[in-house]
Amino acid sequence: MAAGDTEVVQSSILRRVALYLGPEDVIAPARELLSAQEWILLPFRHIDEVSAALRKQQPSVGILVLQDVDAVKWQKHLLRLIAQNENIRWLALVEKELLNQLAIRQLIGSAFYDYHTTPIDPQRFLVMLGHAAGMAEISREALFTSDVNSATTEEQMVGASKQMQKVYQDIRKVAATDAPVLITGESGTGKELTARAIHERSFRKDGPFVAVNCGALPANLIQSELFGHEKGAFTGATERKIGRIEAANGGTLFLDEIGDLPLDLQVNLLRFLQEQTIHRVGGKDEIRVDVRVLAATHVNLEEAIKGGRFRQDLYYRLNVLQILMPPLRAREGDIPLLANYVFHRFADERGQRVKGFSEDALQIMNSYSWPGNIRELINRVRRAMVMCDKILINAEDLGLERRQNQRARVSLSEARDAAERDAIKAAVAQSLGSITRAAELLQISRVSLYRLMEKHGITPPGQKDR
């Protein structure tokens, strides 16, 4: 590294700083223009020097010269460097003739933001560099992590598309109020993450966040689960129980799949929303509870109202503010970002040889309809990380190649059912027949899993649950 460059060492990402790994003569034609545009270039000769330097500083862009060397050795070290520094946008400089090599094309397609053939065209190279720096900045903002520092909070919302940018803006707006919010969208789009983000940005962030899946509660226990009960209120009530609503006092109550709540319970919930008071089952005392209510559903509640399955007055109580979660297929540019996030988030699960995604895998993920949305993407990527025995995950590892060819011949409903059925079968097989473990892998309740197995004609395994 040049002596004059040591002053730029910082812990944060540097907007107009780029590292450079390669021969000086390759970058030389662009040096004057880079300097005129106030770009600082950090030159390195060996990849080990880069790894050590990046522990102290984070430039926005990395520029790597790809040469015709030992491909296996080069890819191993290079892909590890890129995977360990995912906040940097990486650019490749490569001789045009080398693009005829399949290994070089796969490497560029799976690991680099863009590439430029040599000799360098300074003006075109500067434009590419600026785009890369801009995307590095957007991607850092797109990792929409909680403002609350918590070692146990793993939830992250990932996305840089205009659809997700609107969601982020809406979250910030509604978090500043205390009015009810209805979060709508298809299953698997991240509605609970949105609810948590609202809570963690509200003045109630230090209070409890209590989530209730209305579709997973046993029908005969919903009243007790929501409102609590007194000792002796019914057979088996051996002690007083605090309900979910009361447990959320001072914080946020999240009612997931509110469209599945039985009509008789909708009446009680409406009364609570109007009066902010509850009665435990078997109790006489009126208990005042201070909670903010967030609700979510994949059901069209207006259609449910017409069908007599949902109360119109409750709908208007819940739908004061609304956030619509976009389906993954509508989030332009987010699929590779999410896939790479999952790849690094579950890095300890992948095989030692697996270093990233092949170009055909990225292409087919972008063109796939993702009927199961983010939940399906996580499932497919994690499975591919375990099963892949090559350096790069391909379309076959993701199980998408055959489906992609058939997509035009099936309806969205059929595709969603097929993906749901395959996910359930895979989870049950991976859990060795344990319904409890399979439900945990799918992030649903055992009740919901049994219901889905019945829907798809999947026979529960005969062995004991464990």
Side-chain angles (χ1 to χ4, degrees), residues 89-101:
R89 281 295 174 270
W90 299 91
L91 304 176
L93 296 179
V94 58
E95 293 180 9
K96 190 172 183 179
E97 292 75 16
L98 289 181
L99 293 176
N100 294 324
Q101 297 183 18

Side-chain angles (χ1 to χ4, degrees), residues 184-403:
T184 61
E186 297 177 9
S187 295
T189 51
K191 294 188 287 295
E192 183 170 348
L193 289 183
T194 299
R196 288 186 181 274
I198 293 171
H199 169 74
E200 292 172 353
R201 286 158 181 77
S202 72
F203 72 86
R204 295 178 178 270
K205 63 184 180 182
D206 295 325
F209 177 88
V210 178
V212 182
N213 188 332
C214 299
L217 293 174
N220 60 329
L221 295 178
I222 293 179
Q223 180 92 3
S224 173
E225 286 291 329
L226 287 180
F227 298 96
H229 63 250
E230 297 289 352
K231 180 179 180 180
F234 49 84
T235 303
T238 57
E239 59 184 15
R240 171 186 287 178
K241 176 179 178 179
I242 301 300
R244 305 286 186 90
I245 295 176
E246 193 174 350
N249 191 35
T252 302
L253 176 69
F254 173 55
L255 300 172
D256 197 9
E257 298 305 345
I258 190 68
D260 294 336
L261 194 67
L263 278 170
D264 56 338
L265 263 296
Q266 293 179 28
V267 176
N268 293 345
L269 183 60
L270 177 63
R271 185 179 300 114
F272 159 67
L273 291 172
Q274 292 172 335
E275 307 295 336
Q276 289 291 296
T277 60
I278 63 169
H279 287 86
R280 299 192 191 107
V281 177
K284 298 179 180 179
D285 295 334
E286 188 175 75
I287 303 169
R288 182 160 292 278
V289 183
D290 173 29
V291 301
R292 183 189 192 177
V293 176
L294 308 177
T297 182
H298 73 280
V299 174
N300 185 325
L301 292 184
E302 293 182 352
E303 291 296 323
I305 291 170
K306 294 177 182 178
R309 300 185 305 277
F310 202 82
R311 293 180 62 95
Q312 187 175 52
D313 45 6
L314 178 58
Y315 173 71
Y316 288 127
R317 280 283 178 180
L318 295 171
N319 191 29
V320 177
L321 301 170
Q322 186 177 130
I323 293 179
L324 172 62
M325 295 302 297
L328 184 54
R329 60 185 173 276
R331 293 169 52 177
E332 185 177 354
D334 280 353
I335 291 172
L337 187 64
L338 276 160
N340 278 291
Y341 169 75
V342 174
F343 184 82
H344 295 298
R345 169 69 178 79
F346 297 98
D348 58 334
E349 297 182 3
R350 67 183 183 233
Q352 292 184 349
R353 294 187 61 195
V354 183
K355 304 301 179 184
F357 298 92
S358 67
E359 186 175 1
D360 72 314
L362 293 171
Q363 288 177 349
I364 205 162
M365 281 194 290
N366 271 324
S367 60
Y368 182 57
S369 62
W370 296 105
N373 291 295
I374 300 171
R375 190 176 294 129
E376 181 186 0
L377 183 143
I378 293 172
N379 177 276
R380 289 189 178 278
V381 171
R382 289 182 68 182
R383 183 171 56 192
M385 287 165 59
V386 174
M387 302 305 294
C388 178
D389 56 5
K390 300 175 286 299
I391 292 177
L392 298 176
I393 292 171
N394 61 28
E396 184 178 352
D397 296 319
L398 292 163
L400 292 179
E401 192 167 28
R402 177 178 57 82
R403 295 178 178 280

Side-chain angles (χ1 to χ4, degrees), residues 413-445:
S413 176
E414 290 171 331
R416 184 183 293 113
D417 284 345
E420 198 170 64
R421 183 167 53 251
D422 287 353
I424 292 169
K425 288 182 177 178
V428 172
Q430 187 176 343
S431 305
L432 302 178
S434 168
I435 296 300
T436 299
R437 178 61 182 145
E440 290 174 354
L441 291 174
L442 295 168
Q443 298 180 12
I444 59 176
S445 70

